[in-house]
């Protein structure tokens, strides 16, 4: 059945290729050249070269050596060569009759172009490269005044669920920052929430390979932070405020000289998210008779005060050796206040018990990160060796108070408190070596060692009215230690022959894990070695379209929250507990992609298959009753079943005329879960995830963007996640000669983004509805550039006209 679906979906893509992927082959000539920086003489990769005439526009990009080659029909063209932060080079109405070599096309660096990062009609929010899709986050007005979590949420094909998990194509995604993994608590949400969006340049959606990582469900999301190249001082300042509270300021600074580049980000933010939850339960006995009802109304006010400071430098020892260092300090003060109203009814709907529960959860986190990179280039052909070292430490001190006051049948109260201290140390050692055999062949190899040391010391106590003191609750006082060591070696060979390129890679990872609890002296140890092959096959058509076939094997490791056995007591009835014996699971991922640019339309599409055995499955278990006779339910993850995802995604961008842009991302996929416990969680259904937007850009600098998100319902035998529907509006205005931008944004305009689940587990029918309050944000961003007249700048100014005249002569 799956094979038939794959054939049908691949056939759909071949339909596009047949009609649009190829160009006429009659009367063609070949235009070649090389793109280089006018001063440094270094090659420029991914520069765009476009050829436009009355028939339309075609184009290509420069490769890693700066070279490009394009076959086009002979005729008269306007040739345009451009790349971010460089002044575009344009040659109008050039007649091309025969094969032409343009030689070295020199681009001039322009600080003004780098400062202006607004979206205009001709610029792209989404670009596609072979094995990579790029979301230019700094160009999207919706990211102003936000953080890295917001940027990921705005990235097409990516969504962040209510628990902070990053999901792409129905599976978890691996998030990197500047190519390095994140190490943090709470699914890395604390780290991502403190990185200001104005420090982010773009998000790269990379196909997983032996070189990068084996972690994740198929895709790698690499957040690329800004690092400017122009000499002198440059940067941006962002001020923002909102309701509920989202007030703060951030600044990005960059000072570049001939020998050193210094960059820094400083950010402070006060944010409050309000989450509202309602739970309605009907409880049955073993004979399906109703025994009672339960209602819960909950409001969570999650306030976070965060501060981030980072300072880094690139020291250019000489033309072949660079030393990069950075320091990051991050603190979070979290005040989470929850109020719950709890009502129990008997089978006749008579109120038996009514209570109020107030939870104050206070957390102080501090994180420090040190990073060092040394890169040496043996020549200009890509032969190089690099070494990375990264260390970070996170310390979290948490105390919570839980006060429950019973109103009916009698007035009484329970007073509990939770004390928890967590410490997380992470070490990264990485060595990467690249050996090119020729311009078209290279071998990459390396080692990565990651070491994670985690300790959680927790204690739960309850106030004793007789002793007038807090007494530790039995079974809720322990120290949990988790140690994880991963040694990875990889080798990857890449080659190209004309328009055809391929790569073959193999990664080996040895994992050593131990989990222990002081109270029981019980230590769970796991040690395993696995191989992760990967392969890609790519073909670039004349005209810029491409086909790509890709395979990789990966591993999904449990997060700290999933293995932490400490129970969350913020809700009396619904408690969460980790599973220390939770195992990693493996998945096989296959993707077939096609992309093409037309004059007004861009298409990026793919067919994918993701298969996993014994994935994480969260189940709800009835853990008995409390002292009042009320049922208690525990959520815990287990390894169970098989998970098979097959689908297609299509990313369309349409520009009918200057100033108007439409974008649509459509991702229908079939989600099949089988072989679960007693087949209770088995299901097979199609899921549709879609994002659309319309962007209007006026000549006066005013821009309007409306975006809409939709996810269809997901069902299994026991649980239904109902459809999710929401819309956002963004308005921005350029000020001060486009050096500043004022942006207003409304998230969830119609208050419609509900996360609703209907389930029947443990003889209980549960309807749970959750949503966050809509948000209103206003931000002001100012960009500046103070040029330093270094020797390179003076040379650049003197030679500018000469370089342009020589380039005209070549054409």
């Amino acid at each position: 059945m799956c094979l038939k679906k794959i054939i049908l979906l691949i056939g759909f893509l071949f339909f596009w290729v047949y009609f649009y992927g190829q160009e006429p082959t009659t009367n063609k000539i070949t235009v070649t050249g090389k793109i280089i920086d006018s001063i440094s003489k270094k090659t420029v990769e991914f520069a765009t070269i476009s050829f436009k005439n009355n028939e339309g526009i075609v184009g290509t990009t420069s490769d890693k050596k700066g070279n490009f080659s394009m076959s086009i029909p002979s005729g008269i063209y306007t040739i345009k060569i451009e790349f971010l932060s460089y002044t575009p080079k344009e040659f109008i109405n050039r007649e091309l009759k025969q094969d032409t070599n343009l030689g070295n096309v020199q681009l001039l660096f322009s600080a003004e172009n780098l400062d202006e990062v607004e979206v205009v009609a001709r610029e792209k929010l989404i670009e596609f490269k072979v094995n990579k899709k790029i979301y230019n986050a700094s160009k999207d007005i919706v990211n102003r005044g936000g953080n890295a979590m917001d940027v990921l949420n705005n990235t097409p094909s990516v969504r962040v669920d209510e628990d902070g998990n990053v999901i792409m194509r129905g599976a978890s995604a691996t998030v990197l920052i500047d190519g390095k993994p994140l190490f943090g608590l709470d699914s890395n949400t604390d780290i991502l929430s403190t990185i200001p969006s104005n420090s982010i340049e773009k998000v790269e959606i990379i196909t997983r390979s032996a070189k990068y990582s084996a972690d994740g469900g198929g895709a790698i999301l690499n957040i690329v932070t800004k690092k400017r190249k122009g000499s002198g001082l440059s940067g941006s300042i962002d001020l923002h405020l909102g309701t509920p509270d989202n007030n703060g300021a951030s600044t990005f600074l960059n000072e570049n000289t001939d020998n050193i580049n210094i960059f820094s980000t400083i950010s402070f933010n006060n944010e409050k998210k309000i989450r509202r939850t309602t739970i309605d339960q009907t409880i049955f006995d073993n004979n399906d008779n109703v025994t009672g009802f339960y209602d819960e109304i909950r409001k969570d006010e999650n306030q976070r005060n965060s501060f981030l400071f980072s300072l880094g430098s690139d020291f250019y020892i000489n033309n072949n050796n660079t030393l990069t260092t950075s320091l990051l300090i991050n603190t979070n003060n979290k005040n989470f206040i929850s109020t719950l109203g709890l009502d129990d009814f008997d089978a006749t709907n008579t109120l038996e018990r009514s209570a109020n529960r107030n939870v104050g959860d206070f957390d102080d986190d501090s994180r420090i990160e040190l990073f060092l990179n040394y890169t040496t280039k043996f020549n200009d052909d890509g032969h190089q060796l690099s070494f990375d070292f990264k260390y970070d430490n996170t310390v979290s001190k948490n105390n919570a108070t839980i006060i429950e006051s019973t109103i009916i049948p009698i007035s009484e109260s329970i007073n509990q408190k939770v004390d928890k201290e967590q410490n997380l140390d992470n070490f990264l050692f990485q060595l990467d070596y690249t050996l090119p055999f020729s311009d078209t062949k290279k071998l990459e190899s390396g080692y990565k060692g990651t070491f994670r040391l985690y300790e959680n010391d927790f204690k739960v106590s309850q106030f004793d009215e007789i002793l007038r003191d807090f007494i530790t609750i039995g079974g809720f006082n322990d120290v949990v230690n988790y140690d994880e060591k991963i040694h990875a070696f990889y080798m990857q060979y890449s080659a190209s022959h004309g328009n055809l390129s391929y790569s073959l890679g193999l990664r080996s990872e040895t994992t050593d894990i131990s989990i222990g609890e002081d109270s029981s002296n019980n230590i769970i140890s796991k040690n395993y070695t696995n191989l992760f092959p990967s392969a890609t096959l790519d073909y670039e058509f004349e005209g810029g379209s491409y086909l790509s076939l890709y395979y990789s094997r990966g591993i999904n490791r449990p997060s700290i929250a999933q293995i932490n056995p400490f129970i969350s007591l913020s809700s009396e009835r619904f408690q969460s507990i980790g599973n220390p014996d939770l195992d990693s699971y493996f998945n096989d991922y296959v993707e077939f992609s096609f992309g093409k640019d037309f004059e007004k339309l861009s298409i990026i599409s793919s067919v994918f298959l993701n298969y996993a055995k014994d994935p994480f499955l969260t189940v709800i278990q009835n853990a008995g009753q409390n002292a009042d006779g009320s049922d208690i339910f525990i959520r815990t993850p287990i390894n169970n079943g098989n998970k098979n995802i097959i689908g297609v995604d299509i990313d369309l961008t349409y520009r009918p005329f200057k100033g108007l842009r439409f974008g649509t991302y459509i991702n229908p996929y079939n989600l099949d879960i089988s072989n679960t416990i007693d087949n209770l969680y088995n299901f097979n259904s199609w899921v549709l995830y879609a994002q659309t937007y319309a962007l209007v850009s006026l000549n006066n600098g005013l821009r309007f963007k409306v975006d809409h998100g939709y996810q269809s319902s997901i069902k299994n035998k026991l649980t239904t996640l109902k459809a999710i529907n929401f819309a956002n509006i963004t308005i921005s205005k350029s000020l001060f000669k486009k050096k500043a931008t004022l942006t207003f944004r409304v998230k969830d305009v119609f208050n419609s983004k509900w996360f609703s689940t209907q389930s029947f587990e443990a003889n209980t029918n549960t309807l749970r509805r959750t949503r966050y309050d809509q948000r209103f944000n206003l931000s002001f961003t100012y960009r500046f550039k103070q040029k330093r007249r270094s020797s390179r700048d003076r040379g650049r100014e003197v030679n500018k006209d000469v370089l342009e005249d020589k380039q005209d002569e070549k054409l």
Side-chain angles (χ1 to χ4, degrees):
M1 184 64 181
C2 290
L3 180 60
K4 291 182 180 179
K5 294 176 182 177
I6 295 174
I7 294 174
L8 288 173
L9 292 172
I10 291 178
F12 170 77
L13 284 183
F14 270 116
F15 170 83
W16 280 104
V17 174
Y18 181 79
F19 285 99
Y20 302 111
Q22 306 181 62
E23 302 291 336
T25 58
T26 58
N27 301 323
K28 281 197 170 184
I29 62 171
T30 300
V31 181
T32 57
K34 187 173 187 175
I35 313 301
I36 63 173
D37 183 283
S38 61
I39 300 300
S40 68
K41 308 303 180 184
K42 292 183 178 180
T43 59
V44 179
E45 182 185 3
F46 294 138
T48 301
I49 304 95
S50 61
F51 299 81
K52 184 178 181 181
N53 61 10
N54 294 332
E55 302 298 324
I57 185 171
V58 294
T60 186
T61 57
S62 57
D63 61 19
K64 293 184 178 180
K65 303 292 184 181
N67 298 315
F68 70 90
S69 177
M70 186 73 187
S71 294
I72 56 175
S74 59
I76 298 176
Y77 291 87
T78 292
I79 306 170
K80 191 170 188 179
I81 304 166
E82 54 187 337
F83 188 65
L84 182 66
S85 79
Y86 287 87
T87 300
K89 190 73 176 178
E90 192 170 28
F91 308 95
I92 301 174
N93 295 332
R94 298 290 177 165
E95 187 173 6
L96 301 173
K97 295 182 177 180
Q98 58 188 4
D99 291 350
T100 304
N101 184 1
L102 301 181
N104 291 336
V105 181
Q106 304 191 53
L107 292 184
L108 179 68
F109 180 87
S110 171
E112 287 75 15
N113 285 348
L114 186 60
D115 286 339
E116 177 52 49
V117 295
E118 298 292 339
V119 177
V120 295
R122 63 181 177 83
E123 291 179 318
K124 296 180 181 179
L125 287 181
I126 303 295
E127 298 180 62
F128 65 83
K129 311 292 182 184
V130 175
N131 294 332
K132 182 187 298 185
K133 185 163 69 173
I134 299 172
Y135 168 56
N136 292 305
S138 62
K139 297 179 182 180
D140 198 341
I141 60 176
V142 302
N143 293 317
R144 300 292 162 79
N147 54 46
M149 291 290 285
D150 297 317
V151 171
L152 289 177
N153 240 333
N154 295 326
T155 303
S157 75
V158 178
R159 66 180 180 89
V160 181
D161 68 13
E162 60 175 320
D163 297 319
N165 300 307
V166 181
I167 299 172
M168 181 176 174
R169 296 170 178 166
S172 62
T174 300
V175 180
L176 309 177
I177 295 183
D178 292 325
K180 302 298 179 290
L182 294 177
F183 301 113
L185 304 169
D186 302 326
S187 303
N188 297 316
T189 54
D190 283 345
I191 300 175
L192 295 172
S193 296
T194 56
I195 299 175
S197 59
N198 74 323
S199 68
I200 297 174
E201 184 69 37
K202 58 188 176 182
V203 178
E204 297 175 332
I205 303 174
I206 305 171
T207 53
R208 189 176 56 198
S209 68
K211 177 181 178 179
Y212 286 101
S213 173
D215 290 327
I220 296 175
L221 303 176
N222 183 34
I223 298 174
V224 180
T225 58
K226 293 179 180 178
K227 191 184 294 185
R228 307 261 169 109
K229 296 181 179 179
S231 59
L233 178 66
S234 63
S236 63
I237 298 173
D238 178 274
L239 305 172
H240 59 271
L241 55 88
T243 180
D245 292 347
N246 185 22
N247 312 314
S250 64
T251 180
F252 167 75
L253 301 173
N254 197 106
E255 171 77 10
N256 199 355
T257 67
D258 290 346
N259 297 319
I260 191 170
N261 179 50
I262 300 174
F263 46 93
S264 178
T265 297
I266 303 174
S267 171
F268 170 78
N269 196 57
N270 164 248
E271 179 185 40
K272 177 188 285 187
K273 290 185 177 181
I274 299 177
R275 183 173 67 178
R276 302 178 189 274
T277 304
T278 61
I279 299 175
D280 299 313
Q281 282 190 332
T282 304
I283 304 168
F284 300 84
D285 61 19
N286 292 330
N287 296 318
D288 294 333
N289 298 314
V290 175
T291 60
F293 303 91
Y294 170 75
D295 295 335
E296 178 179 314
I297 299 176
R298 175 170 180 158
K299 179 182 179 181
D300 298 290
E301 298 184 54
N302 299 341
Q303 180 173 322
R304 179 200 305 266
N305 301 312
S306 62
F307 171 77
L308 181 143
F309 170 77
S310 69
L311 177 64
S313 65
D314 298 315
F315 180 58
Y316 310 116
I317 301 172
N318 52 43
N319 290 335
N320 294 326
N321 293 275
T322 303
L323 176 66
T324 299
T325 60
S326 68
L327 166 69
L328 183 145
I329 298 173
N330 175 219
T331 61
N332 285 281
N333 171 253
K334 294 180 286 187
N335 302 310
F336 291 2
I337 305 297
S338 302
T339 56
L340 297 83
L342 316 172
D343 293 318
D344 282 289
F345 302 86
D346 63 15
T348 63
N349 214 19
T350 301
L351 182 63
E352 289 187 325
R353 179 176 179 269
S354 181
N356 295 318
R357 187 178 179 90
N358 297 296
V359 181
D361 196 346
F362 310 101
D363 203 343
D364 289 317
D365 297 343
S366 63
R367 179 171 177 265
I368 185 170
E369 177 187 298
L370 303 173
F371 175 73
L372 180 146
N373 167 270
Y374 185 85
T375 300
T376 181
K377 298 180 180 179
F378 300 103
N379 53 41
D380 293 332
D381 297 327
H383 187 196
Q384 69 176 41
L385 177 68
S386 67
F387 170 75
D388 293 324
F389 168 75
K390 180 181 177 182
Y391 167 74
D392 68 73
N393 169 258
T394 301
V395 176
S396 173
K397 295 184 178 181
N398 170 269
N399 62 83
T401 59
I402 303 170
I403 300 176
E404 182 172 315
S405 301
T406 301
I407 304 171
I408 298 174
I410 60 174
S411 179
E412 60 181 357
S413 65
I414 297 175
N415 189 352
Q416 297 175 331
K417 67 177 184 178
V418 180
D419 296 295
K420 180 171 63 174
E421 293 188 10
Q422 300 178 88
N423 187 83
L424 177 63
D425 289 297
N426 298 285
F427 298 86
L428 166 70
F429 301 90
Q430 185 166 331
L431 191 67
D432 296 290
Y433 176 68
T434 302
L435 175 63
F437 299 114
S438 65
D439 289 342
T440 59
K441 300 176 181 179
K442 67 177 180 180
L443 180 68
E444 297 172 280
S445 61
Y447 163 81
K448 183 170 80 171
T450 55
F451 310 97
R452 183 163 58 162
L453 310 174
Y454 170 74
E455 181 179 271
N456 178 21
D457 185 349
F458 65 90
K459 180 176 68 174
V460 182
S461 54
Q462 182 168 312
F463 188 77
D464 190 299
E465 292 289 348
I466 299 176
L467 299 178
R468 306 300 299 171
D469 197 4
F470 283 91
I471 306 300
T472 301
I473 300 176
F476 292 91
N477 180 20
D478 208 344
V479 178
V480 178
N481 293 282
Y482 174 81
D483 295 345
E484 177 186 271
K485 302 177 181 65
I486 303 173
H487 300 275
F489 297 88
Y490 77 88
M491 184 172 291
Q492 181 167 290
Y493 175 76
S494 304
S496 61
H497 301 279
N499 292 343
L500 181 69
S501 61
Y502 64 90
S503 67
L504 298 171
L506 183 64
R507 187 180 187 91
S508 170
E509 292 193 356
T510 298
T511 304
D512 187 2
I513 296 174
S514 66
I515 308 170
E517 300 179 56
D518 285 4
S519 61
S520 62
N521 292 321
N522 180 33
I523 297 178
I524 301 174
S525 297
K526 302 176 184 179
N527 185 285
Y528 47 89
T529 298
N530 302 101
L531 297 178
F532 302 93
S534 65
T536 60
L537 180 64
D538 308 300
Y539 187 84
E540 293 189 67
F541 293 96
E542 298 170 356
S545 59
Y546 74 90
L547 281 175
S548 180
L549 181 63
Y550 160 74
Y551 165 78
S552 73
R553 179 171 172 79
I555 184 172
N556 292 262
R557 294 184 172 89
S559 66
I560 288 177
Q562 289 176 309
I563 60 176
N564 190 348
F566 173 69
I567 296 178
S568 170
L569 297 177
S570 60
S571 174
E572 178 190 23
R573 293 292 184 81
F574 295 90
Q575 302 171 355
S576 298
I577 180 172
N579 180 2
D581 202 31
L582 193 65
D583 291 324
S584 301
Y585 71 89
F586 304 91
N587 71 291
D588 292 280
Y589 185 81
V590 180
E591 180 181 327
F592 180 79
S593 302
F594 167 70
K596 181 169 176 61
D597 266 341
F598 300 91
E599 182 177 3
K600 295 182 178 182
L601 179 67
S602 297
I603 300 174
I604 307 172
S605 57
S606 64
V607 177
F608 58 90
L609 171 65
N610 195 340
Y611 174 77
K613 186 176 182 180
D614 290 327
F616 304 142
L617 179 67
T618 300
V619 296
I620 298 180
Q621 301 170 346
N622 191 319
Q625 297 181 332
N626 58 17
D628 298 319
S630 302
D631 289 309
I632 300 175
F633 299 92
I634 291 179
R635 294 189 187 91
T636 188
I638 63 172
N639 294 103
N640 190 248
N642 297 325
K643 185 177 182 180
N644 190 49
I645 304 173
I646 179 172
V648 59
D649 62 1
I650 303 175
D651 202 323
L652 302 174
T653 303
Y654 178 58
R655 302 169 294 275
F657 49 82
K658 182 179 179 181
L660 181 62
R661 179 198 305 267
F662 297 101
T664 298
Y665 173 78
I666 304 173
N667 175 210
Y669 61 91
N670 181 260
L671 182 58
D672 182 78
I673 305 292
S674 59
N675 298 327
T676 60
I677 302 173
D678 297 326
N679 295 323
L680 291 177
Y681 294 88
N682 289 7
F683 73 99
N684 183 299
S685 66
W686 280 91
V687 180
L688 174 63
Y689 177 70
Q691 295 171 292
T692 59
Y693 74 85
L695 174 66
V696 179
S697 303
L698 304 179
N699 291 331
N700 61 1
L702 195 62
R703 296 174 179 83
F704 303 88
K705 185 175 183 181
V706 179
D707 56 275
H708 173 259
Y710 172 79
Q711 178 181 285
S712 64
S713 62
I714 303 176
K715 300 179 180 180
N716 63 30
K717 288 185 177 180
L718 298 180
T719 305
T720 298
L721 173 62
K722 297 187 177 181
I724 301 172
N725 216 337
F726 62 93
N728 309 310
I729 294 178
T730 307
I731 303 173
S732 75
K733 179 69 170 69
S734 295
L735 305 170
F736 308 125
K737 297 181 179 180
K738 297 184 178 181
K739 291 184 177 181
T741 306
L742 185 67
T743 304
F744 176 71
R745 178 167 170 80
V746 182
K747 298 180 68 175
D748 194 13
V749 177
F750 305 107
N751 257 337
S752 59
K753 194 174 183 179
W754 283 95
F755 297 91
S756 300
T757 56
Q758 180 89 43
S759 65
F760 186 82
E761 297 177 277
N763 290 338
T764 303
N765 189 356
T766 302
L767 173 62
R768 181 187 181 94
R769 303 181 74 236
T770 299
R771 72 166 175 83
Y772 287 93
D773 280 9
Q774 63 183 162
R775 302 180 67 84
F776 301 85
N777 295 313
L778 180 67
S779 67
F780 175 79
T781 303
Y782 182 80
R783 298 168 295 279
F784 59 90
K785 173 70 179 180
Q786 297 178 355
K787 296 184 68 175
R788 181 186 301 278
R789 292 177 55 83
S790 66
S791 59
R792 289 184 180 182
D793 292 323
R794 290 192 294 270
R796 181 179 281 119
E797 293 170 3
V798 170
N799 295 321
K800 176 180 178 180
D801 294 333
V802 176
L803 290 170
E804 292 182 346
D805 291 342
K806 287 184 178 180
Q807 197 59 51
D808 286 337
E809 292 174 5
K810 288 182 179 181
L811 284 169

